[in-house]
Amino acid sequence: MKIYNTLAREKQEFIPQEDKKVKMYVCGPTVYDYIHIGNARPMVVFDTFRRYLQYLGYEVKYVVNFTDVDDKIINKAIKENVDFRQITEKYINAFMEDAKDLNLDEKDTIHPKATETMDDIIQFVKELEDMGAAYNVDGNVYFDVSKAKGYGKLSGKKIEDLIAGASNRVDENSEKKNPTDFALWKKTKLEKEPSWQSPWGKGRPGWHIECSTMSRKYLGDTLDIHAGGEDLEFPHHENEIAQSETLNKKPFANYWMHNGMIQVSGTKMSKSLGNFFTLHDIKKEFDLMVIRFWLLSSSYRLPINFTREIIEQAKNSLDRLNNARFRMDELLENTKGSLKESEKSHIEYLDKLEDRFKEVMDDDLNTADAITVLFDIVKFANTNLNNDSSNELVNYTLEMFIRLENVLGIENRKKDISDLDIEKIEEMIEQRAKAKKEKNYALADSIRDKLDSIGIAIKDTREKTTRERK
């Protein structure tokens, strides 16, 4: 299996430190608001990678942190006149709801919080200070970037260029030795600001030190994989490397994986442009399984475009997978018998499809082509499976289909009829009847498929068309 390693800027054979064991850390959200689709992409992409590693037989220790002390959290708590923990608890709970709707595999995921790792953070900073790689200025502690070997190796930035660029700007924090130095510990400034006692007085940690500490606590000095959005390459991930490798004298992570950004109608997503979408809002209209499917429909390293039309297309494609799954479920109940001699070639064909699935997933997590394999199975099932097929063949096809869907985290969901708009259903049935009368059979079949995907079966008789819940 090869993955694109940002550190090497090329695809590399993935070889973990321990045979069949993987230590993986993914930068999680800062919990001051509902997560947006940009936050969702790394969660879905790297959850899928973890699932694929498990499918291949790896034991994966998987950590996704919560940044639960931060300027944005503090400002929101002050604005709403509440304890900062009320803010973080609210949005951690919201994240977990979204995680369930996205079908993230949470049962074995470790979610450390910065506030629960404070003693370890303080110890990390103290060790850096003791070795001369950090310095205290009136309660603020900074990392001395000049002490880090190879600073810029992940992002490709040169320290002299960074210094030159910083010198062209007004430095609001002249107490730093160098403009590239960054905060490890920040002294308390506001009365309502959360703080912890430390050797440097009351304060709280900087952002970068939190991830270095939490990853070391749960995964050790060297990770197999560190992952996150490409916007974190610099300065966050670069600074993690600097402080971790300076202290531990070991590589911080052997492989770095970064996903591309979300664009909205071809434009970078941002609050200032008004094209910012949270999952909390999106799921009022779309099942988040559609969002997961869409996020996996292209290379994880490339930008991906978000428009209503594209999401509708993703929904229709996912409906095709759902319809195939539910049809195979019915065939499994209606067929009998062991594999027929004439069906053995079908098994060989299906095995080749699973081999193809592994081949594309081994090529830097090519989920787009993996989804194509799922549709190849659908095409096979629609063409070759019927009530005359052996139960063994139907079961073999269905089990493979489910197995590969599970790797991608795709879950086939039916809506409860109580959640549906009955008037809308009747309208769709009338539209279908009109389409049939006009001999527009493609439209009629499309409407039938849409009804089937939400759990409504329709039956045509000479007298009328009836509907029933599946």
Side-chain angles (χ1 to χ4, degrees):
M1 175 172 54
K2 288 189 175 183
I3 57 176
Y4 186 87
N5 186 356
T6 308
L7 189 63
R9 289 172 177 73
E10 65 179 5
K11 289 183 186 179
Q12 293 183 327
E13 190 74 25
F14 174 64
I15 304 172
Q17 299 169 81
E18 294 183 63
D19 186 44
K20 289 297 181 180
K21 291 185 178 181
V22 177
K23 295 185 290 186
M24 185 170 181
Y25 185 91
V26 181
C27 282
T30 299
V31 284
Y32 72 100
D33 203 344
Y34 298 108
I35 67 170
H36 53 73
I37 52 174
N39 302 135
R41 193 175 195 189
M43 296 299 103
V44 168
V45 165
F46 300 118
D47 172 75
T48 303
F49 186 56
R50 183 254 298 264
R51 286 170 176 268
Y52 183 59
L53 288 170
Q54 291 172 329
Y55 164 82
L56 294 177
Y58 288 88
E59 178 185 325
V60 183
K61 193 169 185 182
Y62 190 77
V63 178
V64 179
N65 73 294
F66 289 130
T67 296
D68 63 341
V69 56
D70 176 88
D71 288 343
K72 292 176 181 177
I73 295 169
I74 293 167
N75 292 339
K76 190 158 193 170
I78 292 173
K79 183 179 179 181
E80 297 185 11
N81 196 28
V82 297
D83 184 88
F84 81 101
R85 291 179 179 84
Q86 288 182 244
I87 301 295
T88 58
E89 287 174 9
K90 174 182 177 178
Y91 293 112
I92 286 173
N93 289 336
F95 172 90
M96 298 307 292
E97 290 177 11
D98 289 340
K100 182 179 179 181
D101 292 337
L102 285 169
N103 198 31
L104 301 183
D105 186 359
E106 286 294 320
K107 65 180 183 297
D108 296 319
T109 299
I110 300 168
H111 283 299
K113 301 175 185 176
T115 56
E116 295 175 351
T117 322
M118 204 56 63
D119 289 344
D120 303 273
I121 291 171
I122 292 169
Q123 180 62 28
F124 200 121
V125 176
K126 188 68 172 66
E127 290 179 27
L128 285 171
E129 183 186 38
D130 290 345
M131 68 188 301
Y135 55 94
N136 172 24
V137 183
D138 191 28
N140 291 315
V141 183
Y142 299 98
F143 181 82
D144 186 347
V145 169
S146 69
K147 304 296 183 181
K149 294 182 179 179
Y151 189 80
K153 62 185 177 182
L154 179 70
S155 61
K157 296 182 182 297
K158 295 180 180 180
I159 192 166
E160 55 268 26
D161 294 338
L162 294 171
I163 293 174
S167 65
N168 292 328
R169 301 187 298 270
V170 175
D171 190 355
E172 297 177 353
N173 193 353
S174 58
E175 68 184 18
K176 293 192 293 185
K177 290 181 180 179
N178 298 296
T180 52
D181 295 349
F182 55 88
L184 299 172
W185 189 260
K186 302 177 179 181
K187 69 178 180 180
T188 302
K189 295 180 180 179
L190 304 173
E191 184 180 342
K192 293 184 177 182
E193 184 177 331
S195 61
W196 289 260
Q197 192 57 254
S198 78
W200 317 282
K202 283 191 172 183
R204 58 186 174 87
W207 178 31
H208 314 305
I209 196 67
E210 295 177 0
C211 283
S212 280
T213 304
M214 286 185 278
S215 61
R216 183 171 76 156
K217 180 173 183 177
Y218 290 95
L219 300 173
D221 292 345
T222 302
L223 317 177
D224 290 304
I225 300 168
H226 195 313
E230 67 179 13
D231 58 321
L232 299 181
E233 283 182 40
F234 186 87
H236 185 49
H237 290 164
E238 196 72 71
N239 290 347
E240 281 188 74
I241 291 173
Q243 62 203 9
S244 294
E245 295 189 357
T246 298
L247 179 63
N248 299 324
K249 308 297 184 186
K250 298 175 183 177
F252 178 44
N254 290 331
Y255 299 86
W256 287 84
M257 299 179 72
H258 292 95
N259 63 272
M261 296 295 96
I262 304 285
Q263 296 180 341
V264 178
S265 299
T267 304
K268 182 180 177 181
M269 185 179 71
S270 72
K271 285 186 176 180
S272 62
L273 294 175
N275 61 356
F276 184 86
F277 297 94
T278 68
L279 297 187
H280 183 72
D281 290 329
I282 290 171
K283 66 184 180 183
K284 293 174 183 176
E285 185 172 357
F286 295 101
D287 187 331
L288 291 191
M289 184 51 58
V290 176
I291 300 300
R292 182 178 186 116
F293 180 88
W294 162 69
L295 288 170
L296 296 177
S297 64
S298 64
S299 168
Y300 75 91
R301 290 196 292 117
L302 298 177
I304 188 171
N305 200 28
F306 177 89
T307 67
R308 178 177 297 278
E309 293 74 21
I310 288 173
I311 300 304
E312 285 286 358
Q313 290 170 13
K315 180 182 180 299
N316 292 337
S317 294
L318 183 59
D319 284 346
R320 287 176 57 201
L321 295 183
N322 291 340
N323 293 340
R325 162 68 190 276
F326 301 142
R327 177 175 177 270
M328 284 188 276
D329 284 341
E330 292 178 3
L331 286 174
L332 196 62
E333 295 179 2
N334 297 330
T335 54
K336 297 178 181 179
S338 301
L339 191 71
K340 302 173 184 176
E341 186 66 31
S342 59
E343 294 175 331
K344 290 182 179 179
S345 61
H346 291 327
I347 298 295
E348 293 174 2
Y349 175 73
L350 290 169
D351 288 343
K352 288 180 180 178
L353 288 182
E354 185 159 12
D355 288 342
R356 173 62 179 164
F357 181 89
K358 289 186 280 190
E359 178 186 342
V360 298
M361 290 289 281
D362 278 347
D363 183 14
D364 195 31
L365 196 67
N366 186 348
T367 54
D369 283 354
I371 288 173
T372 298
V373 173
L374 288 181
F375 281 108
D376 287 340
I377 298 174
V378 168
K379 182 178 179 180
F380 167 84
N382 290 341
T383 304
N384 296 284
L385 301 184
N386 52 53
N387 288 330
D388 294 326
S389 300
S390 68
N391 183 265
E392 185 175 346
L393 177 61
V394 173
N395 186 60
Y396 194 89
T397 308
L398 179 58
E399 284 189 349
M400 177 181 292
F401 184 74
I402 293 172
R403 183 166 62 250
L404 301 189
E405 275 198 321
N406 285 343
V407 173
L408 299 178
I410 294 173
E411 187 177 63
N412 304 115
R413 296 171 177 172
K414 289 183 180 180
K415 272 194 173 183
D416 192 297
I417 195 169
S418 63
D419 298 330
L420 304 176
D421 185 337
I422 302 302
E423 289 184 7
K424 180 66 175 177
I425 292 171
E426 293 294 349
E427 182 183 327
M428 290 172 69
I429 291 173
E430 289 179 10
Q431 289 174 347
R432 178 176 175 272
K434 182 181 178 182
K436 287 184 68 178
K437 187 175 182 180
E438 295 174 352
K439 297 185 178 181
N440 188 347
Y441 299 116
L443 176 59
D445 290 344
S446 173
I447 295 172
R448 175 190 282 274
D449 288 343
K450 287 181 180 179
L451 289 167
D452 188 72
S453 71
I454 59 176
I456 301 297
I458 55 177
K459 294 183 178 180
D460 296 317
T461 66
R462 289 185 178 180
E463 293 78 22
K464 62 179 180 178
T465 297
T466 60
R467 62 171 172 83
E468 63 181 31
R469 181 178 172 181
K470 290 176 65 178

Short mmCIF file of all heavy atoms in Angstrom, two decimals, residues 217-241:
data_model
loop_
_atom_site.label_atom_id
_atom_site.label_comp_id
_atom_site.label_asym_id
_atom_site.label_seq_id
_atom_site.Cartn_x
_atom_site.Cartn_y
_atom_site.Cartn_z
N LYS A 217 1.17 11.42 24.72
CA LYS A 217 0.57 10.71 25.85
C LYS A 217 -0.10 9.41 25.42
O LYS A 217 0.00 8.39 26.11
CB LYS A 217 -0.45 11.62 26.55
CG LYS A 217 -1.12 10.95 27.74
CD LYS A 217 -2.00 11.92 28.50
CE LYS A 217 -2.60 11.24 29.74
NZ LYS A 217 -3.41 12.19 30.54
N TYR A 218 -0.79 9.45 24.28
CA TYR A 218 -1.59 8.29 23.88
C TYR A 218 -0.90 7.40 22.84
O TYR A 218 -1.25 6.22 22.72
CB TYR A 218 -2.95 8.75 23.34
CG TYR A 218 -3.83 9.30 24.44
CD1 TYR A 218 -3.87 10.68 24.69
CD2 TYR A 218 -4.58 8.47 25.25
CE1 TYR A 218 -4.65 11.20 25.72
CE2 TYR A 218 -5.37 8.97 26.27
CZ TYR A 218 -5.39 10.34 26.50
OH TYR A 218 -6.16 10.84 27.53
N LEU A 219 0.08 7.95 22.11
CA LEU A 219 0.68 7.17 21.02
C LEU A 219 2.20 7.06 21.10
O LEU A 219 2.80 6.35 20.29
CB LEU A 219 0.29 7.78 19.66
CG LEU A 219 -1.22 7.84 19.36
CD1 LEU A 219 -1.47 8.61 18.07
CD2 LEU A 219 -1.81 6.44 19.27
N GLY A 220 2.83 7.76 22.03
CA GLY A 220 4.28 7.68 22.15
C GLY A 220 5.00 8.78 21.41
O GLY A 220 4.39 9.68 20.83
N ASP A 221 6.33 8.71 21.42
CA ASP A 221 7.15 9.78 20.83
C ASP A 221 7.04 9.87 19.32
O ASP A 221 7.16 10.95 18.74
CB ASP A 221 8.63 9.57 21.21
CG ASP A 221 8.88 9.78 22.70
OD1 ASP A 221 8.02 10.36 23.37
OD2 ASP A 221 9.95 9.36 23.18
N THR A 222 6.88 8.71 18.66
CA THR A 222 6.83 8.69 17.19
C THR A 222 5.52 8.07 16.71
O THR A 222 5.20 6.94 17.06
CB THR A 222 8.02 7.91 16.60
OG1 THR A 222 9.24 8.49 17.04
CG2 THR A 222 7.98 7.92 15.08
N LEU A 223 4.80 8.81 15.90
CA LEU A 223 3.54 8.32 15.33
C LEU A 223 3.82 7.65 13.99
O LEU A 223 4.77 8.01 13.30
CB LEU A 223 2.58 9.49 15.10
CG LEU A 223 2.45 10.56 16.19
CD1 LEU A 223 1.51 11.66 15.72
CD2 LEU A 223 1.96 9.95 17.47
N ASP A 224 2.98 6.69 13.64
CA ASP A 224 3.04 6.17 12.27
C ASP A 224 2.48 7.20 11.30
O ASP A 224 3.09 7.48 10.26
CB ASP A 224 2.27 4.86 12.16
CG ASP A 224 2.95 3.71 12.89
OD1 ASP A 224 4.12 3.45 12.59
OD2 ASP A 224 2.32 3.12 13.78
N ILE A 225 1.31 7.75 11.64
CA ILE A 225 0.64 8.69 10.75
C ILE A 225 0.10 9.87 11.55
O ILE A 225 -0.55 9.68 12.59
CB ILE A 225 -0.53 8.02 10.01
CG1 ILE A 225 -0.04 6.84 9.16
CG2 ILE A 225 -1.28 9.02 9.13
CD1 ILE A 225 -1.16 5.97 8.64
N HIS A 226 0.37 11.07 11.07
CA HIS A 226 -0.28 12.27 11.59
C HIS A 226 -1.06 12.86 10.41
O HIS A 226 -0.52 13.01 9.32
CB HIS A 226 0.75 13.27 12.09
CG HIS A 226 0.18 14.37 12.94
ND1 HIS A 226 -0.94 15.09 12.59
CD2 HIS A 226 0.58 14.87 14.14
CE1 HIS A 226 -1.20 15.98 13.53
NE2 HIS A 226 -0.29 15.88 14.50
N ALA A 227 -2.33 13.20 10.64
CA ALA A 227 -3.18 13.63 9.54
C ALA A 227 -4.00 14.86 9.91
O ALA A 227 -4.22 15.16 11.08
CB ALA A 227 -4.10 12.49 9.11
N GLY A 228 -4.46 15.56 8.87
CA GLY A 228 -5.31 16.73 9.06
C GLY A 228 -5.48 17.47 7.74
O GLY A 228 -4.99 17.03 6.70
N GLY A 229 -6.15 18.59 7.80
CA GLY A 229 -6.35 19.41 6.61
C GLY A 229 -5.06 20.09 6.18
O GLY A 229 -4.19 20.38 7.01
N GLU A 230 -4.94 20.37 4.88
CA GLU A 230 -3.71 20.97 4.38
C GLU A 230 -3.48 22.38 4.93
O GLU A 230 -2.35 22.88 4.94
CB GLU A 230 -3.71 21.01 2.84
CG GLU A 230 -4.74 21.93 2.23
CD GLU A 230 -4.66 21.95 0.71
OE1 GLU A 230 -3.98 21.07 0.15
OE2 GLU A 230 -5.29 22.83 0.09
N ASP A 231 -4.53 23.02 5.44
CA ASP A 231 -4.37 24.34 6.05
C ASP A 231 -3.60 24.28 7.36
O ASP A 231 -3.17 25.32 7.88
CB ASP A 231 -5.74 24.99 6.27
CG ASP A 231 -6.66 24.14 7.14
OD1 ASP A 231 -6.65 22.91 6.99
OD2 ASP A 231 -7.40 24.72 7.97
N LEU A 232 -3.40 23.07 7.90
CA LEU A 232 -2.68 22.92 9.16
C LEU A 232 -1.19 22.66 8.97
O LEU A 232 -0.43 22.63 9.94
CB LEU A 232 -3.28 21.76 9.98
CG LEU A 232 -4.76 21.92 10.39
CD1 LEU A 232 -5.19 20.70 11.20
CD2 LEU A 232 -4.98 23.19 11.17
N GLU A 233 -0.75 22.47 7.71
CA GLU A 233 0.67 22.19 7.47
C GLU A 233 1.56 23.24 8.11
O GLU A 233 2.57 22.91 8.75
CB GLU A 233 0.95 22.13 5.96
CG GLU A 233 0.51 20.84 5.28
CD GLU A 233 0.87 20.85 3.81
OE1 GLU A 233 1.98 21.33 3.48
OE2 GLU A 233 0.06 20.40 2.98
N PHE A 234 1.18 24.49 7.90
CA PHE A 234 1.92 25.59 8.52
C PHE A 234 0.94 26.62 9.05
O PHE A 234 -0.01 26.98 8.36
CB PHE A 234 2.86 26.26 7.49
CG PHE A 234 3.74 27.30 8.12
CD1 PHE A 234 4.96 26.94 8.69
CD2 PHE A 234 3.34 28.63 8.19
CE1 PHE A 234 5.76 27.89 9.30
CE2 PHE A 234 4.14 29.59 8.81
CZ PHE A 234 5.35 29.22 9.37
N PRO A 235 1.10 27.06 10.30
CA PRO A 235 2.24 26.73 11.17
C PRO A 235 2.03 25.54 12.10
O PRO A 235 2.97 25.08 12.72
CB PRO A 235 2.40 28.01 11.99
CG PRO A 235 0.99 28.49 12.16
CD PRO A 235 0.29 28.17 10.85
N HIS A 236 0.79 25.05 12.21
CA HIS A 236 0.47 24.11 13.28
C HIS A 236 1.32 22.84 13.24
O HIS A 236 2.01 22.52 14.22
CB HIS A 236 -1.02 23.75 13.24
CG HIS A 236 -1.46 22.88 14.38
ND1 HIS A 236 -1.16 23.16 15.69
CD2 HIS A 236 -2.17 21.72 14.40
CE1 HIS A 236 -1.68 22.22 16.47
NE2 HIS A 236 -2.29 21.34 15.71
N HIS A 237 1.29 22.13 12.13
CA HIS A 237 2.03 20.87 12.07
C HIS A 237 3.54 21.09 12.06
O HIS A 237 4.30 20.30 12.64
CB HIS A 237 1.58 20.05 10.86
CG HIS A 237 0.20 19.50 11.00
ND1 HIS A 237 -0.53 19.01 9.93
CD2 HIS A 237 -0.60 19.38 12.08
CE1 HIS A 237 -1.71 18.60 10.36
NE2 HIS A 237 -1.78 18.81 11.66
N GLU A 238 3.96 22.16 11.42
CA GLU A 238 5.40 22.48 11.42
C GLU A 238 5.89 22.73 12.85
O GLU A 238 6.97 22.26 13.24
CB GLU A 238 5.64 23.72 10.57
CG GLU A 238 7.10 23.92 10.17
CD GLU A 238 7.57 22.92 9.14
OE1 GLU A 238 7.15 23.00 7.98
OE2 GLU A 238 8.38 22.04 9.53
N ASN A 239 5.08 23.43 13.63
CA ASN A 239 5.47 23.73 15.01
C ASN A 239 5.38 22.51 15.91
O ASN A 239 6.18 22.37 16.85
CB ASN A 239 4.62 24.88 15.56
CG ASN A 239 4.95 26.20 14.90
OD1 ASN A 239 5.96 26.32 14.21
ND2 ASN A 239 4.11 27.20 15.10
N GLU A 240 4.44 21.62 15.63
CA GLU A 240 4.38 20.36 16.36
C GLU A 240 5.68 19.57 16.17
O GLU A 240 6.25 19.03 17.13
CB GLU A 240 3.21 19.50 15.88
CG GLU A 240 1.85 19.89 16.43
CD GLU A 240 0.82 18.85 16.04
OE1 GLU A 240 0.82 17.75 16.62
OE2 GLU A 240 0.03 19.13 15.11
N ILE A 241 6.12 19.50 14.93
CA ILE A 241 7.36 18.79 14.63
C ILE A 241 8.53 19.43 15.38
O ILE A 241 9.34 18.74 16.02
CB ILE A 241 7.66 18.80 13.11
CG1 ILE A 241 6.64 17.94 12.36
CG2 ILE A 241 9.07 18.29 12.83
CD1 ILE A 241 6.76 18.03 10.84
#
